[in-house]
Amino acid sequence: MQLKFNNRFVNELPADPNIAKTRRQINHACYSFVDPVKTQKPALVSASSEAATLIDLNKEDCNSDAFLNAFSGNQRLDGMQPHAMCYGGHQFGNWAGQLGDGRAIVLGEVLNQQAEHWTLQLKGAGPTPYSRTADGLAVLRSSVREYLCSEAMHHLGVPTTRALSLITTGDQVMRDMLYDGNAEYEPGAVVCRMAPSFIRFGSFQIFASRNEIDELRSLTEFTIKHHYPSLLEDHELGSADCVTAFFNEVCKATVTMVVEWARVGFVHGVMNTDNMSIHGLTIDYGPYGWLDNYDPEWTPNTTDASQRRYRFGQQANIALWNCYQLANALYPLIEATEPLEEALKQFQSNFADQWQAMMASKLGLKDVLETDGKLFEQLESLLTSAETDMTRFYRALASENLSYEHFVERDVYYDDNHNQEFHDQLNNWLTAYQTRLEQQDLSCEQRISAMNAVNPKYVFRNYLAQLAIDKSEAGDHSMVNELLDVFRNPYMEQIEFEHYAAKRPDWARTKVGCSMLSCSS
Ligand code: AMP
Ligand code: MG
């Protein structure tokens, strides 16, 4: 197994001169060198062949000892320069100071045959100077969730970091899953993630908060030069308008990401600014969840249960709030508020446009008319009031038959006891929808295939994750690999896997891991 590394982040940005693992505040540095801990008995649970292809590895490579040793952290390959990144962040709306990679270790940047750079990062590979009071490890439960969801999101077409491998370490890790004093040992695991970079909003915030403007400038110029190079066609690197243009691009990418989350019913759960990628990629899969019954108020994260700051319907507002924090961090390089305010205004109009276009596509509409807003709003309220399974509903709507009986037959409701008022509202909506469809020149078959290309049949429902985890913890990893396979084609009918498109079963409604998750991972 041969990988070519070109570690631009390490080569071009300031390092922490101290190589001790002691937990501490690290000033004037973008990262600290740190080696992964050795694992006792690593075993491969799964590797993503699509992710592997991005770094020119084939299936045989993925099954080799060299792969297992490299991506469990046991063996450093030539060219790897393991390091943990320094960043800060706002957690649940409050500035938390230095956070950093507490249990993530970047191995380096692979340069592939297409001349693309892919940063490889192990999650759960042991303590770093940023581990604060925690152990730097990850358990199998949360690693299965991160691994499968990253790849599922990719195949759904949602911007995301990727997952190359899921490896059990053979070590036991102590976790108090519900933070209720009942700590237990769980199997440890390491996921290897991939992304163009793991630079976050918080990477800029930490320097601004410490008034380390030279480092802020270096990181910003580095990010633009390597990750937004097209900006240099019209702007001089480091100029105020270049930084403004960069901020604009990040806002745009962030809008696209949250609109895509809304399209597929994904709730991130912890949209802290340290979990916001500078590329607009979904990053840091923690207590995330997928909507079963459509409910804008829902959050899977028990740590956020009272405030519901990161609920489904709030994600765009939070993304905007996070962009405000990034604007504050970049301000010293621009020294004018107006261009930043303009970009933030643009965020809002961009979001409104993209959200409408996304809703139109889900309904099989070729474009958005002014009156469509009402159609979208009424549908949301119908879906919410009748406990409707979001994913199943949109697949059922892609049909010639647009009647209540059809939706019942397609098993889209969690409770079939509907009153007259609901029937009237649904019928009114279906009539309005039908009328709207007649205004466009699209055959029924064309509409159905367009809708089935944007409304997935298979999403990573919370209860599916829990079933796969239960089996994996018992030593049977077949469901992880089977789900990975199903999620490769989320928009296709897969008759033999019909059961993975079923509504959430009753037992999962309030079960831990299915509808409720804590940050413990
Ligand atoms: P998260 O909520 O997963 O984004 O984590 C917030 C911060 O806590 C990040 O700086 C993580 O690196 C750190 N962290 C989370 N879990 C652990 C752990 N088990 N050991 C060390 N640091 C952790
Ligand atoms: Mg994080």
Side-chain angles (χ1 to χ4, degrees):
M1 192 177 67
Q2 280 265 312
L3 293 172
K4 186 171 169 192
F5 285 91
N6 178 27
N7 303 323
R8 303 171 299 181
F9 192 84
V10 164
N11 293 338
E12 297 177 33
L13 291 170
D16 168 14
N18 183 349
I19 53 163
K21 279 194 187 185
T22 16
R23 288 122 204 248
R24 57 191 189 269
Q25 292 295 307
I26 286 136
N27 296 300
H28 298 291
C30 287
Y31 61 92
S32 306
F33 288 111
V34 59
D35 282 325
V37 285
K38 297 267 183 287
T39 61
Q40 219 175 75
K41 200 167 177 277
L44 183 72
V45 172
S46 182
S48 159
S49 51
E50 294 86 357
T53 305
L54 298 172
I55 49 169
D56 306 322
L57 297 183
N58 59 31
K59 281 195 178 148
E60 205 180 306
D61 295 320
C62 294
N63 287 314
S64 67
D65 283 346
F67 184 93
L68 182 66
N69 290 331
F71 299 115
S72 58
N74 279 8
Q75 173 81 48
R76 188 200 287 200
L77 298 180
D78 278 353
M80 284 180 175
Q81 290 175 290
H83 61 276
M85 293 165 71
C86 181
Y87 51 81
H90 279 87
Q91 296 185 311
F92 300 96
N94 305 305
W95 176 243
Q98 177 183 302
L99 297 167
D101 286 336
R103 54 151 165 192
I105 295 179
V106 176
L107 298 173
E109 296 171 62
V110 171
L111 179 61
N112 73 10
Q113 281 165 11
Q114 271 82 53
E116 295 165 343
H117 285 81
W118 284 95
T119 303
L120 305 185
Q121 184 187 67
L122 301 183
K123 186 162 171 182
T128 75
Y130 308 94
S131 297
R132 295 177 290 158
T133 57
D135 57 11
L137 302 173
V139 293
L140 180 57
R141 152 174 70 81
S142 62
S143 306
V144 165
R145 287 170 50 83
E146 168 128 25
Y147 174 78
L148 277 180
C149 201
S150 310
E151 291 305 282
M153 292 283 264
H154 163 72
H155 293 297
L156 283 164
V158 181
T160 178
T161 58
R162 302 294 302 273
L164 174 67
S165 57
L166 168 59
I167 291 173
T168 47
T169 58
D171 299 308
Q172 297 290 307
V173 176
M174 179 77 88
R175 283 290 178 272
D176 182 358
M177 186 164 77
L178 291 178
Y179 301 127
D180 61 0
N182 291 309
E184 280 180 26
Y185 277 111
E186 297 187 42
V190 176
V191 169
C192 181
R193 313 196 282 191
M194 298 175 32
S197 89
F198 289 91
I199 300 170
R200 302 137 190 272
F201 288 16
S203 311
F204 301 86
Q205 286 184 283
I206 191 72
F207 293 133
S209 77
R210 289 169 167 167
N211 206 23
E212 293 176 355
I213 306 305
D214 288 348
E215 289 79 5
L216 176 67
R217 182 172 292 287
S218 303
L219 178 66
T220 306
E221 292 185 8
F222 173 90
T223 309
I224 293 170
K225 189 168 124 200
H226 295 298
H227 300 297
Y228 288 93
S230 65
L231 295 177
L232 300 179
E233 287 163 22
D234 296 323
H235 304 280
E236 193 190 327
L237 184 62
S239 63
D241 63 293
C242 185
V243 179
T244 303
F246 162 62
F247 178 64
N248 240 313
E249 291 302 308
V250 177
C251 286
K252 272 197 229 161
T254 305
V255 165
T256 302
M257 176 183 77
V258 292
V259 170
E260 286 292 88
W261 290 354
R263 175 173 66 84
V264 298
F266 177 80
V267 191
H268 183 284
V270 203
M271 293 177 70
N272 293 334
T273 55
D274 55 305
N275 292 340
M276 297 293 291
S277 151
I278 206 69
H279 308 283
L281 301 172
T282 315
I283 191 175
D284 277 5
Y285 290 89
Y288 66 83
W290 295 80
L291 290 186
D292 291 310
N293 54 301
Y294 187 85
D295 180 5
E297 295 298 307
W298 185 69
T299 174
N301 185 355
T302 52
T303 314
D304 188 28
S306 55
Q307 209 189 351
R308 291 180 188 273
R309 179 179 172 86
Y310 298 141
R311 62 189 182 270
F312 179 71
Q314 181 76 355
Q315 298 191 118
N317 286 334
I318 293 294
L320 176 61
W321 191 89
N322 289 343
C323 285
Y324 267 92
Q325 307 317 314
L326 180 62
N328 285 335
L330 295 176
Y331 174 79
L333 306 181
I334 299 172
E335 291 187 318
T337 51
E338 213 176 279
L340 290 167
E341 277 162 9
E342 192 49 46
L344 291 162
K345 243 194 252 159
Q346 193 83 49
F347 178 113
Q348 296 176 70
S349 60
N350 228 335
F351 173 76
D353 292 347
Q354 285 198 42
W355 191 83
Q356 296 238 330
M358 176 276 291
M359 283 302 289
S361 74
K362 285 182 82 67
L363 293 180
L365 304 176
K366 288 201 292 191
D367 41 27
V368 185
L369 303 182
E370 211 157 300
T371 46
D372 289 341
K374 209 164 132 203
L375 201 66
F376 304 154
E377 263 170 47
Q378 286 171 344
L379 176 60
E380 280 201 285
S381 108
L382 269 174
L383 295 180
T384 311
S385 70
E387 280 219 340
T388 316
D389 188 90
M390 174 181 169
T391 306
R392 294 187 67 84
F393 175 84
Y394 280 105
R395 292 294 283 202
L397 191 65
S399 164
E400 207 171 344
N401 186 347
L402 295 174
S403 68
Y404 172 71
E405 291 71 26
H406 167 71
F407 294 123
V408 171
E409 196 193 315
R410 293 285 293 266
D411 202 15
V412 310
Y413 298 116
Y414 283 93
D415 177 2
D416 287 338
N417 257 330
H418 297 125
N419 60 21
Q420 192 54 44
E421 193 188 346
F422 173 75
H423 280 274
D424 292 345
Q425 283 171 354
L426 179 70
N427 286 328
N428 288 342
W429 189 84
L430 287 171
T431 308
Y433 178 48
Q434 190 68 261
T435 310
R436 175 67 178 85
L437 290 178
E438 282 157 17
Q439 289 171 2
Q440 65 179 9
D441 178 23
L442 204 64
S443 73
C444 190
E445 293 74 47
Q446 285 171 322
R447 172 177 68 88
I448 290 171
S449 72
M451 289 172 76
N452 285 341
V454 293
N455 296 314
K457 166 121 182 176
Y458 298 96
V459 295
F460 193 25
R461 291 172 183 272
N462 315 307
Y463 83 89
L464 292 178
Q466 196 51 43
L467 289 174
I469 289 164
D470 288 344
K471 280 194 171 177
S472 257
E473 287 182 341
D476 171 6
H477 304 304
S478 59
M479 190 168 168
V480 171
N481 283 295
E482 188 166 84
L483 284 176
L484 179 65
D485 213 22
V486 173
F487 295 147
R488 289 194 159 108
N489 297 295
Y491 299 98
M492 250 173 58
E493 297 290 330
Q494 302 179 54
I495 303 299
E496 69 279 31
F497 294 123
E498 193 67 31
H499 51 290
Y500 289 143
K503 260 178 6 188
R504 173 197 62 217
D506 254 353
W507 60 260
R509 182 180 282 263
T510 52
K511 189 174 153 54
V512 173
C514 298
S515 58
M516 297 189 298
L517 292 139
S518 75
C519 286
S520 158
S521 58

